[in-house]
């Protein structure tokens, strides 16, 4: 069911070319009702904290993304790579649950680690391979380009008792801050800022328990 009104048989029509909703009105109604029930369930807990477990003995590294922020500004959600490339602003925190006492490293990044770009750097042209003919008109920004932002400081805030900052050099791809933490819930704020007023949550934060 798509948009609550279109119905496709993926077994025989995986490319979703033939809308068969008119032939199956009862199935459309049943699927729509199921979706509405699921959405009501999601909406009922939208304000509840759902922390990410961090520092589990079997998973020593976790990745926090801007898509998962509890945003302070209405609709300020950076959830796709085109927004990251444009340097759109988002501010907020991640809800985490520290699983074990130890030293934790927080590696703040603007770009994905595998991309290897500098925090402050721009991207000229396409930096990933893609087929232009397979991209919808106007969607090229998901695959190419990226504005420079003059960040010079990385700051980590973990509740009222932990605040750390380190300078960001012009060639750095990431900024790492270390802190000892005890088990329990935390709100993680990871901020990239600049002297000219630039201020944004890091789009990617790798968290590792090192000791």
């Amino acid at each position: 069911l798509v948009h609550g009104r279109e119905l496709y048989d993926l077994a025989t029509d995986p490319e979703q070319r033939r809308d068969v909703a008119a032939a199956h009105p009862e199935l459309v109604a049943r699927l729509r009702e199921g979706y509405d029930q699921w959405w009501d369930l999601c909406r009922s807990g939208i304000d509840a904290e759902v922390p990410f477990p961090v520092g589990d003995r079997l998973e020593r590294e976790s990745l926090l993304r801007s898509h998962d922020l509890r945003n302070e500004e209405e609709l300020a959600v950076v959830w796709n790579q085109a927004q990251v490339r444009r340097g759109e602003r988002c501010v907020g925190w991640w809800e985490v649950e520290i699983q074990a006492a130890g030293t934790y490293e927080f590696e703040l990044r603007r770009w994905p680690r595998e991309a290897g770009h500098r925090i402050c750097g721009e991207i000229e042209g396409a930096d990933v391979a893609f087929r232009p003919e397979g991209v919808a008109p106007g969607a090229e920004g998901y695959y190419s380009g990226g504005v420079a932002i003059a960040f010079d400081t990385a700051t980590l805030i973990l509740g009222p008792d932990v605040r750390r900052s380190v300078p960001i050099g012009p060639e750095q791809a990431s900024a790492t801050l270390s802190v000892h933490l005890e088990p329990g819930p935390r709100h993680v704020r990871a901020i990239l800022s600049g002297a000219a007023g630039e201020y944004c949550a890091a789009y990617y934060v790798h968290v590792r328990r090192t000791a």
Side-chain angles (χ1 to χ4, degrees), residues 11-205:
T12 61
D13 180 25
E15 293 183 345
Q16 298 176 221
R17 295 180 179 272
R18 297 183 299 278
D19 180 4
V20 298
H24 302 279
E26 293 182 357
L27 179 56
V28 170
R30 179 158 55 85
L31 290 174
R32 186 184 296 129
E33 180 183 4
Y35 175 84
D36 288 342
Q37 291 175 352
W38 169 81
W39 184 243
D40 287 342
L41 176 64
C42 293
R43 188 162 46 196
S44 69
I46 199 167
D47 292 324
E49 294 211 355
V50 184
F52 293 94
V54 170
D56 183 88
R57 64 184 181 84
L58 297 178
E59 187 178 30
R60 296 183 69 90
E61 180 170 295
S62 301
L63 175 58
L64 307 176
R65 302 172 180 87
S66 58
H67 189 194
D68 305 312
L69 277 173
R70 182 74 73 172
N71 295 283
E72 289 183 334
E73 300 175 354
E74 187 175 0
L75 301 181
V77 180
V78 173
W79 63 274
N80 65 54
Q81 194 59 34
Q83 292 174 295
V84 173
R85 290 178 184 273
R86 292 193 298 265
E88 291 189 12
R89 185 171 182 264
C90 57
V91 179
W93 67 90
W94 290 274
E95 298 149 1
V96 306
E97 183 79 25
I98 304 301
Q99 301 293 296
T103 300
Y104 287 79
E105 287 185 350
F106 290 78
E107 178 187 327
L108 282 60
R109 289 181 171 267
R110 178 189 170 188
W111 305 106
R113 181 189 279 170
E114 59 272 20
H117 299 305
R118 295 174 297 121
I119 292 178
C120 304
E122 67 176 339
I123 301 172
E124 296 184 3
D127 62 330
V128 294
F130 71 100
R131 295 183 300 107
E133 68 276 10
V135 175
E140 296 82 4
Y142 286 87
Y143 307 95
S144 63
V147 302
I149 305 178
F151 293 129
D152 57 30
T153 303
T155 300
L156 177 68
I157 303 172
L158 299 167
D161 57 328
V162 176
R163 184 185 182 101
R164 304 275 194 279
S165 293
V166 295
I168 299 172
E171 300 302 316
Q172 286 182 232
S174 65
T176 300
L177 302 97
S178 297
V179 61
H180 180 85
L181 297 173
E182 296 295 326
R186 289 275 183 171
H187 284 179
V188 176
R189 293 176 182 269
I191 302 163
L192 303 176
S193 59
E198 299 86 353
Y199 184 89
C200 184
Y203 298 133
Y204 303 91
V205 180

